[in-house]
Structure formats: C-alpha cells, structure tokens
Amino acid sequence: AGYLAYLAASVLNYIEAAPTLQISKAQLRESLAKTALNISVESTMEINQVVASLFQVTEQPEEVNVRSQEIAITKLTEVTGVLKTQRNESHWSEQTEIQTSGILRCLSNILRAALLRRRNVNVGAVTQVFSIMENFRNCNSHLGLQNDRDQG
C-alpha cells in the first residue's frame, strides 16, 4: 500500500488538473495521505514507505488541504515516536538519519502548505511541525551526548 501511495502521489505531482476530473487533486492527495495513515511503522521498510509517500503527497503545497496537513502530521508524529524509541534503545543508525531527513523534508512541505494562504494560516499545523522538529532536536542532542560518552 505504501509503494502504491508513493507512485500515485508521484504521478499526481507531474500531471495537470483536467477539467474532466471528478475530484480535485487536493482530494486525491488527502486520500493518499489517509492511505499512509493506515500503514504500520514497525519496520524500517514501512517507515521508509510512509515517509516517502508523505513527501510525495505534500510536495505541491497549493494542493495540500488542511485535512491532508493534519493527517500527515499525525503519521509523522507516530513515526517520530518510533524513531525516538529506537534511539532510546540504542538502535540509531545511518538509516534512521536518512528517515529523519525525509521527515524534515515532509515537515518543510507541510509548513509551506500551512503558510501558503497568508490570511488563513493553519496555525495548528505550524505549531505541530515545530513540535515535531523540537522532538528531533532532543533526539539529536541525546545522540550527541551518547557519542561523546562513548568516545571519552
């Protein structure tokens, strides 16, 4: 399901909206975000699929509605929690660094979408994006302390 959501969102990023489409591209993105919401994040491969799918879903900020932002943030919060647990269990790896980078790219996309309409900013999304980023900062601080201890 994750790979199919990724492919569909990728294609959506490169097609123009046709007047014959029965639903908008924003609605399609929301459906794809909901698909990612239902993917487990128990394995590295699943986390990769979720992050890659959400990156593609959120890549065009003008087509990412408030509901899609909320869904993506919910799933990214879950993924961040899993990565934080892995970090606490000393399972931090290069793969986790790559996943973290992907999550930050997704958050950047969501922030762009949330701030797109200056008169109607999605303040909740902005706040949640910064909360997730703060969580990563705490993870990296802990990792740095752990590495310093290991070297000393």
Side-chain angles (χ1 to χ4, degrees), residues 44-58:
T44 298
M45 185 178 76
E46 290 167 333
I47 291 172
N48 289 344
Q49 287 181 346
V50 166
V51 173
S53 296
L54 290 176
F55 174 74
Q56 290 296 330
V57 166
T58 60

Side-chain angles (χ1 to χ4, degrees), residues 6 25 32 34-35 40 47 49 55 65 72-73 82 91-93 97 101 116 122-123 126-127 132 145:
Y6 171 82
K25 288 174 76 176
L32 292 169
K34 287 178 183 175
T35 299
S40 166
I47 291 172
Q49 287 181 346
F55 174 74
N65 63 27
I73 287 169
V82 170
H91 296 296
W92 199 266
S93 66
E97 291 291 332
S101 174
L116 189 65
N122 184 353
V123 177
V126 172
T127 303
I132 294 170
L145 292 173

Side-chain angles (χ1 to χ4, degrees), residues 25-138:
K25 288 174 76 176
Q27 289 171 308
L28 287 170
R29 289 184 187 284
E30 185 177 329
S31 293
L32 292 169
K34 287 178 183 175
T35 299
L37 191 61
N38 294 320
I39 299 171
S40 166
V41 289
E42 294 178 12
S43 73
T44 298
M45 185 178 76
E46 290 167 333
I47 291 172
N48 289 344
Q49 287 181 346
V50 166
V51 173
S53 296
L54 290 176
F55 174 74
Q56 290 296 330
V57 166
T58 60
E59 192 170 26
Q60 301 295 327
E62 64 281 354
E63 297 173 2
V64 180
N65 63 27
V66 171
R67 183 69 185 127
S68 295
Q69 294 168 34
E70 292 169 353
I71 293 167
I73 287 169
T74 298
K75 193 62 178 184
L76 291 171
T77 300
E78 179 185 355
V79 170
T80 303
V82 170
L83 294 178
K84 188 174 182 179
T85 299
Q86 288 177 357
R87 188 251 8 237
N88 289 338
E89 295 173 357
S90 299
H91 296 296
W92 199 266
S93 66
E94 182 177 343
Q95 185 62 39
T96 306
E97 291 291 332
I98 293 167
Q99 292 165 336
T100 300
S101 174
I103 292 168
L104 291 173
R105 289 171 52 198
C106 290
L107 293 174
S108 174
N109 289 346
I110 294 166
L111 199 54
R112 286 177 33 224
L115 296 171
L116 189 65
R117 291 159 194 87
R118 296 185 195 276
R119 295 185 184 269
N120 194 20
V121 171
N122 184 353
V123 177
V126 172
T127 303
Q128 290 177 310
V129 163
F130 281 104
S131 175
I132 294 170
M133 291 169 79
E134 179 68 18
N135 204 359
F136 276 127
R137 189 182 72 77
N138 292 339

Side-chain angles (χ1 to χ4, degrees), residues 11-35:
V11 169
L12 195 56
N13 288 334
Y14 295 101
I15 62 170
E16 294 295 321
T20 57
L21 284 178
Q22 293 183 354
I23 63 173
S24 71
K25 288 174 76 176
Q27 289 171 308
L28 287 170
R29 289 184 187 284
E30 185 177 329
S31 293
L32 292 169
K34 287 178 183 175
T35 299

